[in-house]
Amino acid sequence: MSGPGTGGGPRRSGGTPLLRWRLRPPAGPRPKEPYADGEPPLPYPAGWFLLVPSHDVRPGAVVTRRLMDEDVVVYRTRGGRARVIRPHCPHLGAHLGCGGRVDGESIVCPFHHFAFGGDGAVTRTGPGYAPGAVRDRLAVLPCHEVNGGIFTWAGGAPGQPPGWRLPELLDPSGPPLRFARTEVLSHPQELCENVADLGHLRALHGFSDAVPKGGPVIDGHRFRATVELTRTFPPFGRLRADLTFHLYGLSLLHATLRDARSGLVFDVLAASRPVAPWRVELLIGTRVAVDGGHRVWSRLPPPLLRPLTGAAGWVNLLTVVRDMSRDLPVWDAKRYVSPPRLVRGDGPVGVFRAWARQFYPDPPADGGTPAG
């Protein structure tokens, strides 16, 4: 399976390859971008955006990613700390993602070899330059390494600090996440709206008994919804469980499914990062853990348990990729309808859109009331 890169900017260097996929039908042309002839209806939202999985940035690595039509550079110091910066040296504008290198706890410009520390200040001048020759600082962006990834805050009002912090969602002592990556002609809000669109779970994904358990729970930047469903998960057979979706802004989804009968706990992280107007890079991370008190898993020694959960994690990732193979062609070609023409059975789409307005400096007019 293969897919396009992040679009624009230098290629990343270092790290381990991700599973890449292009979720399309076997035949058919790539659809025209829905807003190629006009302005997209939604601006960039504010939030924490996943730039790269943590394991892709080892000590000394320098990685470039696109975010909101601009490059950002991620690097890890020799001491292991991840940092995120604007790409251009304040001296004469060299791109630190193109030939920049890590020296200890600093990043060194490839052009004149000025070194910049974690606060953006010059820690060492280049050869032939007097100390203090460059006083301007490198632009440093907020960086939060959590849940197997390196995140940065973007999209808010200029100069405004992050509005919240991402919680630790996964037990670090559990199995690692397996990641897959693709690109979507869409917007983070459109991708997150799937959480509220219960009708598509039945029609597109074939869940005959996707039943909501109460209404969504909203707490500031967090949105939670739970659905009772049954699905087949080889080789464990039919699993009937509650699938709970947690949104943290419009950039991060954490879905958890716990099956009491099998003792399996499924985790899915879906992080959407806008790389350009109406173009998103989607990173999916999955893993499968076990209930340590379950009658079967409690009897297995850890050396035997680890390869089993590791194999189940890959099956889970491929299952999620297969499911999203149905979503992605729809996302690529659909248009954003505002206000939505909702009917009975859609789910709380109107509630979701009202909640989503808080993530824009100038909230878009939107809404939609479910049919009676």
Side-chain angles (χ1 to χ4, degrees):
M1 298 179 182
S2 63
T6 56
R11 294 177 180 269
R12 70 180 175 91
S13 58
T16 55
L18 304 179
L19 173 67
R20 299 174 185 229
W21 84 103
R22 178 66 256 173
L23 307 179
R24 296 203 171 279
R30 182 181 177 90
K32 178 185 177 183
E33 295 189 31
Y35 302 101
D37 55 350
E39 188 72 19
L42 292 173
Y44 294 128
W48 287 99
F49 296 95
L50 176 58
L51 296 172
V52 63
S54 293
H55 62 64
D56 245 22
V57 188
R58 296 175 180 174
V62 180
V63 175
T64 300
R65 287 289 181 266
R66 287 297 274 182
L67 175 62
M68 300 183 180
D69 226 14
E70 297 182 333
D71 279 356
V72 294
V73 172
V74 185
Y75 70 96
R76 193 180 297 280
T77 70
R78 295 297 178 182
R81 183 165 182 178
R83 290 181 175 140
V84 182
I85 57 174
R86 291 292 181 194
H88 297 108
C89 177
H91 175 213
L92 285 175
H95 196 300
L96 275 76
C98 291
R101 60 182 176 85
V102 174
D103 183 6
E105 298 303 294
S106 299
I107 187 167
V108 181
C109 173
F111 201 12
H112 298 91
H113 293 184
F114 287 93
F116 298 88
D119 61 355
V122 175
T123 58
R124 187 181 68 247
T125 56
Y129 289 92
V134 172
R135 298 183 181 276
D136 291 332
R137 290 174 179 256
L138 191 64
V140 177
L141 298 178
C143 178
H144 191 191
E145 186 165 13
V146 66
N147 301 314
I150 300 171
F151 295 77
T152 194
W153 176 270
Q160 194 173 58
W164 71 87
R165 294 279 283 178
L166 290 173
E168 183 78 61
L169 301 173
L170 305 174
D171 181 359
S173 65
L177 288 168
R178 271 78 176 174
F179 281 93
R181 168 190 294 160
T182 193
E183 191 176 86
V184 195
L185 301 178
S186 190
H187 184 280
Q189 182 175 320
E190 285 272 76
L191 274 59
C192 288
E193 193 166 292
N194 267 20
V195 168
D197 183 0
L198 301 182
H200 101 284
L201 290 177
R202 295 182 290 268
L204 193 61
H205 296 292
F207 294 126
S208 59
D209 55 353
V211 180
K213 298 194 71 172
V217 177
I218 293 174
D219 180 13
H221 65 275
R222 293 175 292 185
F223 183 103
R224 186 178 82 239
T226 301
V227 181
E228 184 181 13
L229 52 79
T230 301
R231 77 163 309 150
T232 300
F233 185 79
F236 301 103
R238 289 174 63 81
L239 304 180
R240 185 175 184 85
D242 291 346
L243 177 61
T244 301
F245 300 100
H246 303 260
L247 289 175
Y248 298 88
L250 296 176
S251 57
L252 183 65
L253 162 69
H254 178 214
T256 57
L257 188 149
R258 296 175 179 271
D259 181 61
R261 181 175 62 87
S262 68
L264 296 175
V265 181
F266 301 83
D267 285 297
V268 177
L269 288 183
S272 56
R273 169 168 45 87
V275 299
W278 223 258
R279 186 179 293 271
V280 170
E281 180 173 281
L282 179 62
L283 275 167
I284 303 293
T286 70
R287 74 175 192 176
V288 177
V290 298
D291 179 355
H294 190 267
R295 57 186 177 81
V296 173
W297 306 118
S298 61
R299 301 172 186 172
L300 294 180
L304 182 59
L305 194 58
R306 280 192 292 269
L308 288 175
T309 57
W314 281 115
V315 173
N316 191 26
L317 179 60
L318 294 173
T319 301
V320 172
V321 167
R322 182 197 65 185
D323 284 347
M324 296 194 71
S325 298
R326 298 162 182 159
D327 287 292
L328 219 127
V330 176
W331 280 330
D332 275 347
K334 77 185 294 291
R335 293 184 71 88
Y336 182 74
V337 176
S338 176
R341 276 60 170 175
L342 299 177
V343 298
R344 186 183 297 274
D346 278 329
V349 175
V351 175
F352 166 82
R353 291 202 181 182
W355 168 81
R357 286 200 290 269
Q358 66 182 291
F359 304 109
Y360 302 97
D362 299 311
D366 204 346
T369 303

